[in-house]
Amino acid sequence: MYGRYTQDLGTFAKDEAARLRLQEGDTPRPRRPSELLEYTQGRCAPCRVCALQCQRFLISKVGEDWVFLILLGLVMALVSWAMDFAIATCLQAQKWMYGGLDTNVLLQYMAWVTYPTVLITFSAGFTQILAPQAVGSGIPEMKTILRGIVLKEYLTLKTFVAKVIGLTCALGSGMPLGKEGPFVHIASMCAALLSRFLSLFGGFYENEARNIEMLAAACAVGVGCCFAAPIGGVLFSIEVTSTFFAVRNYWRGFFAATFSAFIFRVLAVWNKDEETITALFKTRFRLDFPFDLQELPAFAVIGIASGFGGALFVYLNRKIVQFMRRQKTINRFLMKKRLLFPALVTLIISTLTFPPGFGQFMAGQLTQKDTLVTLFDNQTWAKQGINDEFEYLGILEAWRHPRSNVFVTLVVFILMKFWMSALATTIPVPCGAFMPVFVIGAAFGRLVGESMAAWFPDGIHTDSNTYRIVPGGYAVVGAAALSGAVTHTVSTAVIVFELTGQISHILPVMIAVILANAVAQSLQPSLYDSIIRIKKLPYLPELGWGHHEKYNVRVEDIMVRDIRYVTLNCKYRDLQQVLHSTKMKNLPLVESAESMILLGSIERTQVGALLSNQLSPQRRLLALRQKALSEDGHRLSDSSIRFQISTDTSSGTPARPALRKPLKPALKRVPSSPADSPPAGSTDHAGIALKSLFCANAATEPTEAQGTAYHKAKRVRISIVEEMILGDQVTPAEILEWEEQQLDQQVDFSSAKIDPAPFQLVEHTSLHKTHTIFSLLGLDHAFVTSIGRLVGMVSLKELRKAIEGSLTGKGVKVRPPLASFRDSTASTTEADTTALRQLWDRHQHHHMPREAGPGGDNDDDTPK
């Protein structure tokens, strides 16, 4: 039937449609489903039937994507608003304690230092006890999970609780920490928990591909409900979590992020925090002439300087973590006293930000939100020409010091907050680094803007019109540039526009962000990639800028040539040696060691199951029984052997289990099913061998050969009498001899699951193309073949080292620019072609082992 796709099937379809049309006239009225019959009787029968149909309709609609996305956006908006309310309450309590003790500076200092130390210590302890996976940002882990890597306990309920409570306490302490990265993790956990809950209504939520798509949308929701920036949230989540993004998930991210941001701002209006739905940090820059073209070089300087600053921040953060790990004495001490490090860091930072102390030179009494509000202010803080000095009102008073000007305060703030943020983000609590970097960038931009305002006090003259310089616009540019340099993203520009509610500085912001990314990406990886390297997560780094020699590297330059493989005609001893010599999860299956024609791949667990079945105690006991029956069958069957036969379906009482303590350890116990793993004994060499091989998989899955050999409808249990008699006849030497005989037999692959088409690369595949394929398909390894022959293997490890450039000293040669051109002129020789044909003809006589189809052996029905 496979060849009838044109004439026959078309005619059949037309005839079938005509027959169905003729039957429509005398078709009887459809009957109600059998499950509705019990609801059709009684006085309220129509109501009950209607209610049941409505219930089924609602359950079917629960599976729609928009329902899931609405629930996700609603839950995340509620979580974000509740956390912001709790954080604001904690910060207000600290200010109340500090203001209430203004009569005694020492008590003020104790309250200022003790309060954040207690909160940070509680956050670190609570997170460490409940779920250590909640520590840190969460974006590096989500970047790894979205690539297809399974990280245990990262998307569970207890991790969600630990992340929410720990992040609330950490941000409520007033430390320079952020919430955007943790919110991406929180939204992903919320999506996973919602999928698990809604799977009760339908199994479509258990699909792995669907869950990955929902996690991608959840990452956008995390940023959208954090800053009320749905557009920037979607773009930012795509940049930091995905190498290649599926466009079909685009509308899901925008829909969920927009709904979440809308509910988040509506809750602020409901709580009377805002009069209407506005931007989170609304600015009021002039729109008629926001900046002059002569200011563009200053914006470009902000972008270049932010690129160097972002690379320095990532470098400093990584060096602090590496220093703590490499110093074995410090590391050993902190492992015993886990809460000492966060308490000590909090104590140092709180002491330096104490307002009557050194904090008076860096606006130490302002929170991060108040700091951003003041930095985005559109008034100039320095002297405004011939006018009197600007009056500092309200929270702006924190930037004024009687013995120093605003430039000194901004420089001290930038320098101190820079290393404080790099140090604080290493604390083992749920925290992010986006918001502290955003504030530092805004301060740097404000510094440049104030300098420009002091340099041109009357503004830049253009056509006899004078427009004063707005330092707040420089602060917006600096915030977007530095945060983009640290995270290697351009979408921070869009986030800034949504945060401020104005796009008047769109050109300067884009120029600064692009320049900052160009500088930072050429110097350091992003902060999230740096954390991935520190944690050694299995992720593939990006191809960096300016490394043109990596485009000339081929797979043959980086592949592993000496790999272990399984041949089609190998013996069980060869399988044992392969399992001992390698830890590969997938082993290549080749035709023979001479031809090396790749036939497929077999999982390590399948190889272990084959070997376990061959050396199983069941087969050994069967061989001993047959030997004993052949020697003295009548005596053994009449007087010594008693069989207890019971059926699994008809037996009313459970069968008596075999005794656990036989006389000989060689035949300790006969399991009731082939899936039971043999217990280890002092003289049971088979058990010792299997335990050394399969210690990671204690309970191996029974193969189909075991099921067909030992399970049909009944189960035979051997009594203790047979064990005693056979045990007396077997010595450890005989067991060892039997195992040696079994290992010398040829492997039967008929019961193994073999992948007939593992992913393959050719030798001349470029590194750039290999990186693209691995990123798109989520591969962790690929076999390298040459005209069908297995020549090597490439895994994430080799690819990552080649991209990072660490293999050049270990034999990886960088190909010259014209190497590909020279290789293209050389063709396959006639001898290679002849050899390939001979190997292919030989391969036609070897058929791949496969399971029998439902139609028996007559499966060759393809048209000739």
Side-chain angles (χ1 to χ4, degrees), residues 136-204:
S137 170
I139 289 182
E141 289 79 11
M142 288 310 304
K143 196 172 184 178
T144 306
I145 290 174
L146 289 178
R147 197 190 174 277
I149 307 298
V150 178
L151 298 179
K152 296 182 179 179
E153 302 295 331
Y154 268 95
L155 300 176
T156 58
L157 179 60
K158 65 177 184 179
T159 309
F160 177 82
V161 174
K163 195 86 172 183
V164 170
I165 297 179
L167 181 62
T168 303
C169 295
L171 296 180
S173 65
M175 294 288 289
L177 302 173
K179 60 178 289 191
E180 185 171 12
F183 254 76
V184 172
H185 190 194
I186 290 174
S188 302
M189 289 186 288
C190 185
L193 295 174
L194 273 178
S195 298
R196 197 175 306 169
F197 170 72
L198 294 179
S199 62
L200 301 175
F201 300 95
F204 35 78

Side-chain angles (χ1 to χ4, degrees), residues 418-433:
F418 192 87
W419 69 265
M420 284 181 181
S421 300
L423 178 63
T425 50
T426 62
I427 298 177
V429 295
C431 63

Side-chain angles (χ1 to χ4, degrees), residues 627-647:
K627 180 180 179 181
L629 288 174
S630 62
E631 291 178 355
D632 195 1
H634 295 286
R635 181 179 60 85
L636 207 59
S637 60
D638 292 340
S639 60
S640 300
I641 300 182
R642 297 196 301 270
F643 291 91
Q644 180 182 355
I645 303 177
S646 60
T647 60

Side-chain angles (χ1 to χ4, degrees), residues 126-137:
F126 181 80
T127 306
Q128 189 66 35
I129 293 174
L130 186 60
Q133 295 83 4
V135 172
S137 170

Side-chain angles (χ1 to χ4, degrees), residues 549 552-554 556-557 764 813-820 823:
E549 67 276 1
N552 298 322
V553 179
R554 294 180 175 178
E556 60 182 351
D557 301 325
H764 301 302
K813 55 183 179 180
V814 178
R815 301 175 65 84
L818 297 179
S820 301
D823 292 341

Side-chain angles (χ1 to χ4, degrees), residues 180 227 236 281 283 285 299 302-303 305-307 309-310 368 371-373 375-376 413-414 433-449 471-497 499-500 505 508-510 512-514 516-517:
E180 185 171 12
F227 288 148
F236 184 83
F281 299 99
T283 57
F285 303 143
F299 294 127
I302 292 178
S306 297
Q368 287 187 353
T371 303
L372 275 180
V373 170
L375 291 175
F376 288 163
F413 177 86
I414 294 170
F434 184 87
M435 201 63 183
V437 171
F438 195 82
V439 174
I440 296 171
F444 175 70
R446 185 80 193 194
L447 177 63
V448 176
Y474 288 79
V476 172
V477 174
L482 187 60
S483 56
V486 171
T487 58
H488 287 190
T489 58
V490 185
S491 56
T492 53
V494 185
I495 293 178
V496 163
F497 300 148
L499 276 177
T500 59
H505 287 75
V509 168
M510 291 304 300
V513 169
I514 292 175
N517 271 273

Side-chain angles (χ1 to χ4, degrees), residues 189-393:
M189 289 186 288
C190 185
L193 295 174
L194 273 178
S195 298
R196 197 175 306 169
F197 170 72
L198 294 179
S199 62
L200 301 175
F201 300 95
F204 35 78
Y205 283 101
E206 298 178 358
N207 187 274
E208 182 180 358
R210 181 189 178 92
N211 290 337
I212 293 296
E213 293 179 353
M214 294 306 168
L215 287 179
C219 294
V221 174
V223 185
C225 69
C226 182
F227 288 148
I231 301 177
V234 173
L235 299 178
F236 184 83
S237 65
I238 292 174
E239 286 190 275
V240 299
T241 60
S242 305
T243 304
F244 294 93
F245 187 77
V247 183
R248 64 177 178 272
N249 297 331
Y250 218 46
W251 76 270
R252 295 186 177 95
F254 276 115
F255 181 81
T258 303
F259 185 80
S260 179
F262 170 73
I263 298 297
F264 177 68
R265 297 308 291 161
V266 165
L267 289 173
V269 176
W270 173 78
N271 197 40
K272 297 182 180 180
D273 296 334
E274 299 286 348
E275 295 181 357
T276 183
I277 297 179
T278 58
L280 205 59
F281 299 99
K282 188 172 180 58
T283 57
R284 295 175 176 84
F285 303 143
R286 61 172 183 260
L287 300 178
D288 55 343
F289 196 85
F291 62 92
D292 191 86
L293 289 179
Q294 301 180 37
E295 300 179 54
L296 289 181
F299 294 127
V301 169
I302 292 178
I304 296 175
S306 297
F308 285 104
L312 180 61
F313 184 88
V314 175
Y315 177 80
L316 182 61
N317 180 272
R318 184 172 65 252
K319 286 301 178 182
I320 291 174
V321 177
Q322 291 178 350
F323 174 78
M324 302 298 294
R325 291 188 176 186
R326 289 175 181 175
Q327 297 295 328
K328 296 183 179 180
T329 305
I330 300 178
N331 191 16
R332 199 179 304 114
F333 177 75
L334 294 180
M335 288 297 292
K336 296 180 180 179
K337 310 290 183 180
R338 294 181 180 270
L339 302 181
L340 182 61
F341 176 68
L344 184 61
V345 172
T346 308
L347 179 64
I348 295 174
I349 295 178
S350 301
T351 301
L352 292 175
T353 57
F354 182 54
F358 192 75
Q360 60 184 328
F361 297 99
M362 50 183 295
Q365 63 186 12
L366 295 181
T367 62
Q368 287 187 353
K369 185 175 181 179
D370 294 338
T371 303
L372 275 180
V373 170
T374 56
L375 291 175
F376 288 163
D377 185 56
N378 59 346
Q379 292 179 312
T380 306
W381 296 350
K383 291 183 179 181
Q384 301 186 13
I386 59 176
N387 298 330
D388 53 351
E389 191 171 350
F390 171 70
E391 294 182 0
Y392 293 85
L393 300 176

